[in-house]
């Protein structure tokens, strides 16, 4: 894959640091969803240093009680661009499909993302753009209203 030369103007900035390995620069995601809908979330990653492991990306949608209602786990860019091939300075756009159950109740949900090691499932620690370590080793992206 070639380094991406697009612009991040449309993305919500994040600037999170995952394990001093990867930065989540920003994301694009819908802030409203309908039950049964499938929508794309785009995560913009950048390696902070050459990576010697292939990390797995997760995106989770949680309800108000913290229960998982929709998720995606898999290698970035559908496996076509594993993290060991990333070079610092390259921006990697990662499009992830999130599918909602048709029976999901309406309400406010929380969209979060992160990376983990395989096969240990150990999540990379997360620091936000201010350097504050995040609980549960996740980047909280935004709230999503299901209606």
């Amino acid at each position: 894959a070639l380094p991406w030369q697009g612009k991040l103007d449309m993305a919500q900035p994040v600037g999170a640091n995952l394990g001093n390995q990867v930065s989540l620069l920003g994301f694009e995601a819908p802030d409203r969803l309908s039950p049964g809908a499938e929508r794309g979330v785009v995560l913009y990653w950048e390696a902070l240093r050459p990576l010697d492991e292939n990390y797995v990306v997760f995106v989770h949608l949680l309800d108000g009680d913290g229960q998982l209602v929709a998720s995606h786990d898999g290698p970035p860019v559908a496996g076509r661009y594993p993290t060991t091939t990333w070079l610092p300075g390259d921006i990697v756009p990662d499009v992830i499909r999130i599918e909602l159950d048709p029976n999901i109740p309406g309400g406010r949900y929380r969209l979060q993302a992160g990376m983990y090691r395989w096969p240990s499932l150990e999540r990379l620690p997360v620091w936000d753009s201010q350097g504050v370590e995040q609980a549960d080793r996740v980047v909280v992206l935004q709230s999503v209203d299901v209606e």
Side-chain angles (χ1 to χ4, degrees):
L2 290 172
W4 181 76
Q5 298 296 341
K7 290 280 178 279
L8 284 172
D9 300 348
M10 299 300 295
Q12 304 273 350
V14 176
N17 173 337
L18 286 77
N20 291 318
Q21 307 283 322
V22 175
S23 175
L24 180 59
L25 301 175
F27 73 95
E28 293 172 48
D31 51 15
R32 293 179 186 280
L33 285 170
S34 305
E38 182 185 313
R39 290 293 297 274
V41 174
V42 187
L43 303 175
Y44 294 96
W45 303 104
E46 182 183 2
L48 295 171
R49 44 183 295 251
L51 304 176
D52 52 13
E53 288 184 74
N54 284 320
Y55 298 116
V56 179
V57 173
F58 66 88
V59 175
H60 291 163
L61 191 67
L62 304 181
D63 68 13
D65 297 325
Q67 297 297 307
L68 191 64
V69 295
S71 67
H72 166 94
D73 287 62
V77 201
R80 292 191 300 274
Y81 200 23
T83 54
T84 49
T85 66
W86 295 8
L87 295 172
D90 289 354
I91 297 173
V92 180
D94 186 13
V95 181
I96 288 160
R97 309 300 300 181
I98 292 286
E99 199 170 340
L100 288 195
D101 189 302
N103 301 315
I104 188 173
R108 176 152 279 199
Y109 293 80
R110 184 170 79 245
L111 188 67
Q112 60 188 39
M115 280 188 174
Y116 58 82
R117 293 188 161 91
W118 180 264
S120 70
L121 307 186
E122 178 200 357
R123 290 182 180 178
L124 296 182
V126 173
W127 294 273
D128 69 10
S129 60
Q130 308 298 309
V132 177
E133 189 159 2
Q134 300 297 288
D136 301 328
R137 298 187 164 197
V138 298
V139 183
V140 177
L141 299 176
Q142 67 180 18
S143 296
V144 177
D145 290 317
V146 173
E147 48 195 38

